[in-house]
Amino acid sequence: MKHAMPAIKKLPATKSQSPKALSAVARQQLLLINGLLDEVARNYVARLHREIADLIRVLEKKQAGPGLSRRELKDLREMLKRIAHLQINPDRGRRKDLKKIDALIGELQSMVERW
């Protein structure tokens, strides 16, 4: 479900608004963004967790079945290599680290989809 930023009432000319009133409106809007940030982050992380769980299920299904073909074994080695080369610093909490994880999951999904 998409959320648009709730519109605030059109402000009168800024010169007629007191600094206190402007500050209160800005604070209100920042709190709103804060809540949206939590919702977006929660949904984003939940999606990544689902995608990882799907990858695990595929691996478990392959393990329970007749096993991996030569190509699948080669892909599995490549997957492990890519996972080992993931370089992130979780303590920093950077967007680029989330992007790296997201991209890696996408690459692994592409490999597994060929199976």
Side-chain angles (χ1 to χ4, degrees):
M1 174 158 58
K2 291 185 180 178
H3 289 285
M5 184 79 176
I8 57 169
K9 294 177 186 167
K10 186 163 169 83
L11 296 174
T14 50
K15 287 184 180 177
S16 65
Q17 280 240 295
S18 73
K20 248 186 192 174
L22 285 172
S23 182
V25 170
R27 180 181 179 281
Q28 176 187 17
Q29 293 300 293
L30 288 169
L31 289 172
L32 196 79
I33 291 170
N34 210 30
L36 290 173
L37 171 64
D38 287 342
E39 185 178 351
V40 168
R42 192 172 39 255
N43 290 331
Y44 180 74
V45 169
R47 178 182 56 82
L48 293 178
H49 281 297
R50 280 191 307 275
E51 291 174 358
I52 291 170
D54 289 345
L55 287 166
I56 291 169
R57 273 192 291 281
V58 169
L59 290 173
E60 289 171 345
K61 190 176 176 182
K62 278 290 178 182
Q63 194 175 26
L68 296 166
S69 69
R70 275 192 143 144
R71 178 188 174 141
E72 292 166 345
L73 200 53
K74 183 180 175 193
D75 284 345
L76 187 57
R77 286 189 181 104
E78 179 63 26
M79 288 170 68
L80 291 170
K81 191 166 99 178
R82 289 182 188 198
I83 291 168
H85 285 89
L86 178 66
Q87 291 187 332
I88 60 168
N89 185 349
D91 296 336
R92 305 274 309 265
R94 297 181 298 191
R95 271 179 293 208
K96 78 178 197 177
D97 289 337
L98 283 172
K99 288 179 184 178
K100 286 179 185 178
I101 292 170
D102 196 351
L104 175 64
I105 292 169
E107 291 169 11
L108 301 180
Q109 286 174 319
S110 294
M111 294 172 116
V112 167
E113 283 172 4
R114 297 190 304 236
W115 297 2

